Amino acid sequence: MEEKKLDINTIIGFVLIFGILIFMFWQNQPTPEELEAQKAKQEQLEAAEMQKANAVKEEVAQPKTVDLQDSMAVASYKSAIGAFGFTAPSEGTTVLENDVVYLEISNKGGQIIEAKMKGYVTYDSIPVYLIKDGNANFALNFSTSDNRVLNTNDLYFEPTLSKSGENQVLSMKAKVASDKFLEYRYEMKPDEYLVGFTVRSQGLNGIVNSSKPIDLDWKMKAIRHSKSIQYENRYTRVTYNHDDDKISKLSEGSEDEETEVDVKWISYRQHFFSSILTYANKFETAKLNSVNLVEEESHTQQFTKEFAAQVPLELQGGEFAYNFNWYYGPTDVKVLAQYKELGLEDSIPFGWGIFGWINRYIFTPVYTFLSSFLPYGIAIVVMTILVRLIMSPATYKSYLSQAKMKVLKPEITELNEKFKDNAMKKQQETMKLYNKAGVSPMSGCVPALLQMPIFYALFMFFPTSFALRQKPFLWADDLSSYDAIAQLPFTIPFYGDHVSLFPILASVAIFFYMMMTTGQNMQTQPGMPNMKFIMYLSPLMMLVFFNNYASGLSLYYFVSNLITIFIMLAIKNFILDEDKIHAQIQENKKKPKKENKFQKKMREMMEQAEEQKKIGKK
């Protein structure tokens, strides 16, 4: 019985291919003069990009200012806004904060102008801001009975800060009289990211023109928080919840616009942090827009996407009466699960269908439990071991199928030689051999297909799991980002400007795993595509594609393939006996084998095709 051993020529071939690639990258690296030119060009582009971003920020987000020292300017302002000039212009801000979030609300516009996460920093140790320096804008647009079109950004609100039990309450009123006003009311609870937000009016019936459109406008430019802006941008997008709890999303890779109905909440997700506006009832319609601001990897670009939502509002009895909530906080299942009645947990990108179900109800709880008492990297290793042990029966089935096909190899080779000029007869006789021996060539594929949902679910789990954010393990300083061990002086297309170690280890493990699986199939499956090429290509794809992915994902694949290799070696050396398999197959061939309906139909079709072929030759 031939035993498959490690082919030294194959290993040398793989090493040579890898060496050639490295040589090509080195050979094509820019000269010092070219690097200086590229650096100067990049600085010019970044300066232009910064100027453009600031111009857009000033144009979109900054309301008109009034010189409060200029009596003529104040008089002009009051004349422009009409009845709402009752509130005297007064610059200033009011702070609402608890132990987890800091909010700053401006008198001008009554909106949040700064939202800072306490306890979290960016990749370069700067506090995480969701709103800062005019990147966000919230306003109501409406008309008055004297035909003025007003935007609340241009109105001054009068702040009143009070307490309701342990809650902080901020009332912002834009008045038309002492007892007539438009009010924004914020209520912050201790240790919560969710802030109650009520928009109501009193005595504005007859002042606001209900026959003209009234719109809620919410715009935001998502601030960059991660060292790879392209990677962060991949998981930054608009998500929204319909009244029937269906979750929809705008495109994350290109400009997208949708007009939706019956929307309960709108989330501007910035990978690991989210800004969410919820409504106690539902928005009848909402026009949503997302613009991608990232074209290539950049170390200086500030924003990832620009979001906008326009929602038509209606007066109730001539007055505003809307109960909202603002959520500014982490996209963390442990935090968002506290607001089950609002369904905010659904804004987390668990994945679609069965993949999302696996992530939400299996991997997330298991990893949360393991990481509660183990270091985060060790928790990944332990979870990987558990997954591979659970999947070991499928691994056994797959390897058993390979062993059976290997045993049948001499007979298959003989049939290939005997019927080399008659493909139809060769296929027919091969199927008969499989049927008599009790072997199915598909039996090795089924276990692999069963593992695909696990594979894809984990592909979504690691890059979006907040629990991994900025958690170190070995040389990786952040398991939710790439584990660079070397920075390159140039950028390799599709690879990047750095070298990550975990993808290299995972690639090596995948190569040896494929040596044990695909390596056998190369010899036992005549007529198949060049499997050696696939055996080389898969590790190289892992090496390139995962260089910019979460190191936790590469760690999982490395450990997973390592464990699989050990399991297969154990099966081969201690569980399966190829002599017994061969004897069993010979026994099966002696037994009369009853065809099922499918096999009978396939045989009859092949026989008919063979008969027609003979008639055609005559």
Side-chain angles (χ1 to χ4, degrees), residues 481-498:
S481 186
Y482 55 79
D483 57 314
I485 57 169
Q487 199 69 31
L488 302 176
F490 51 88
T491 299
I492 301 172
F494 306 108
Y495 186 75
D497 60 356
H498 62 274

Side-chain angles (χ1 to χ4, degrees), residues 126-401:
I126 297 173
V128 170
Y129 289 92
L130 300 185
I131 301 177
K132 186 175 175 62
D133 296 334
N135 73 304
N137 177 45
F138 176 86
L140 301 182
N141 295 297
F142 59 91
S143 300
T144 61
S145 56
D146 56 355
N147 294 322
R148 301 173 193 270
V149 179
L150 299 182
N151 183 304
T152 54
N153 270 340
D154 299 325
L155 304 182
Y156 282 91
F157 288 70
E158 182 180 301
T160 303
L161 185 61
S162 61
K163 298 277 285 186
S164 176
E166 294 185 342
N167 300 346
Q168 302 172 63
V169 178
L170 174 63
S171 171
M172 305 289 291
K173 292 179 180 178
K175 297 180 178 180
V176 299
S178 59
D179 59 345
K180 297 179 180 181
F181 51 80
L182 170 65
E183 180 186 28
Y184 289 173
R185 184 179 185 274
Y186 300 87
E187 184 169 357
M188 174 181 279
K189 298 178 181 179
D191 303 322
E192 286 201 19
Y193 294 98
L194 193 73
V195 177
F197 178 57
T198 301
V199 176
R200 77 177 192 94
S201 65
Q202 179 176 301
L204 297 188
N205 186 12
I207 295 177
V208 176
N209 189 343
S210 60
S211 65
K212 296 291 183 68
I214 302 172
D215 291 325
L216 179 158
D217 283 325
W218 178 32
K219 297 181 177 69
M220 175 178 283
K221 293 177 72 175
I223 300 173
R224 180 238 194 98
H225 299 135
S226 301
K227 60 183 177 182
S228 172
I229 193 169
Q230 282 190 319
Y231 186 68
E232 179 178 11
N233 193 45
R234 188 179 295 131
Y235 301 98
T236 298
R237 67 193 308 182
V238 176
T239 305
Y240 45 99
N241 185 327
H242 296 278
D243 188 43
D244 58 359
D245 290 331
K246 175 187 174 184
I247 305 299
S248 300
K249 308 174 184 69
L250 295 187
S251 171
E252 78 278 11
S254 60
E255 184 172 351
D256 195 8
E257 182 177 298
E258 295 287 347
T259 299
E260 298 291 346
V261 298
D262 299 337
V263 176
K264 293 172 64 176
W265 52 253
I266 302 168
S267 169
Y268 295 167
R269 188 178 74 238
Q270 300 168 236
H271 197 182
F272 286 124
F273 296 91
S274 296
S275 305
I276 305 175
L277 175 64
T278 79
Y279 180 33
N281 297 314
K282 63 181 179 181
F283 298 122
E284 295 295 333
T285 63
K287 184 179 179 181
L288 306 171
N289 182 266
S290 174
V291 178
N292 184 24
L293 304 177
V294 178
E295 295 182 358
E296 59 184 14
E297 189 62 58
S298 168
H299 295 290
T300 58
Q301 187 168 338
Q302 294 180 324
F303 305 105
T304 55
K305 284 187 174 71
E306 186 169 6
F307 303 130
Q310 185 179 63
V311 180
L313 300 181
E314 293 182 357
L315 298 181
Q316 301 175 19
E319 302 285 355
F320 289 98
Y322 286 89
N323 294 319
F324 303 116
N325 287 294
W326 285 115
Y327 175 87
Y328 293 105
T331 315
D332 183 2
V333 64
K334 291 190 295 185
V335 177
L336 293 175
Q338 300 173 24
Y339 311 110
K340 288 188 180 295
E341 70 282 359
L342 299 175
L344 299 189
E345 190 178 359
D346 295 330
S347 66
I348 299 174
F350 290 110
W352 58 273
I354 188 173
F355 313 113
W357 187 93
I358 292 172
N359 272 337
R360 187 167 188 165
Y361 299 109
I362 298 178
F363 288 138
T364 297
V366 168
Y367 186 76
T368 300
F369 170 73
L370 292 174
S371 60
S372 66
F373 60 91
L374 291 173
Y376 287 89
I378 299 299
I380 291 177
V381 174
V382 173
M383 188 171 80
T384 307
I385 294 172
L386 293 175
V387 171
R388 295 318 306 167
L389 288 177
I390 292 172
M391 298 303 298
S392 58
T395 305
Y396 173 78
K397 289 279 187 183
S398 179
Y399 196 85
L400 177 61
S401 173

Side-chain angles (χ1 to χ4, degrees), residues 36 67 71 97 117 146 163 172 214 246 330 412 425 437 541 547:
E36 285 297 323
D67 185 354
S71 59
E97 65 177 319
M117 305 295 99
D146 56 355
K163 298 277 285 186
M172 305 289 291
I214 302 172
K246 175 187 174 184
I412 294 173
K425 187 66 175 178
M541 287 182 63
N547 190 60

